[in-house]
Amino acid sequence: MIAETVCSAVSAAGLGIGAVTAYRKRFLSAARIAAYSLVPVGLVMTGVVGWVADTAFSPTAWAGFVLLGGAWLLFMGTRAVERRRGGTRKERRAARDSAQPDAVAPAASAPSLGPAKRPATRPAAASRAQSGDDFSDIEAILKKHGI
């Protein structure tokens, strides 16, 4: 009963402020204020205010909110642990099964993959040139902003 009275008073005050705003020829603001001021009465008429009041003073409802919060914390905790481990159980099992055995035989003194090939010097030079281009772009941006 008190909540309905308060909501009605807030709506009446809002409509009064909207009327004053409209009198000052600010019709868009007045319409927006009127819309906001009608929300509390609409909530009372739909029964939302009564439901919220009943829920706010119900110990059973608060216990339900606590349980929902605990479930949410458990869910988020398990997700965080799953991300640190690197995926779901199926993904970890698939990664473990697809891992290749050691490339070196147990009794071998050298890797059995064959002789190592040296990478050509040109790709290294090209990568350096590309990284230099990246830094020149960054430098240009910093100079543009005066840094």
Side-chain angles (χ1 to χ4, degrees), residues 37-78:
S37 66
L38 292 175
V39 170
V41 171
L43 291 175
V44 167
M45 294 175 91
T46 58
V48 172
V49 172
W51 177 80
V52 169
D54 292 340
T55 303
F57 298 113
S58 170
T60 306
W62 282 107
F65 285 128
V66 168
L67 288 176
L68 286 173
W72 182 79
L73 286 173
L74 283 172
F75 178 72
M76 296 311 287
T78 56

Side-chain angles (χ1 to χ4, degrees), residues 79-99:
R79 293 287 298 173
V81 170
E82 186 176 84
R83 285 184 181 149
R84 284 189 174 214
R85 286 187 179 173
T88 62
R89 183 181 301 169
K90 288 181 183 179
E91 291 170 349
R92 288 191 308 271
R93 183 177 294 146
R96 187 175 50 234
D97 292 341
S98 68

Side-chain angles (χ1 to χ4, degrees), residues 102-129:
D102 293 339
V104 177
S109 60
S112 59
L113 294 175
K117 295 182 180 179
R118 294 183 130 196
T121 57
R122 282 204 161 182
S127 67
R128 272 190 230 122

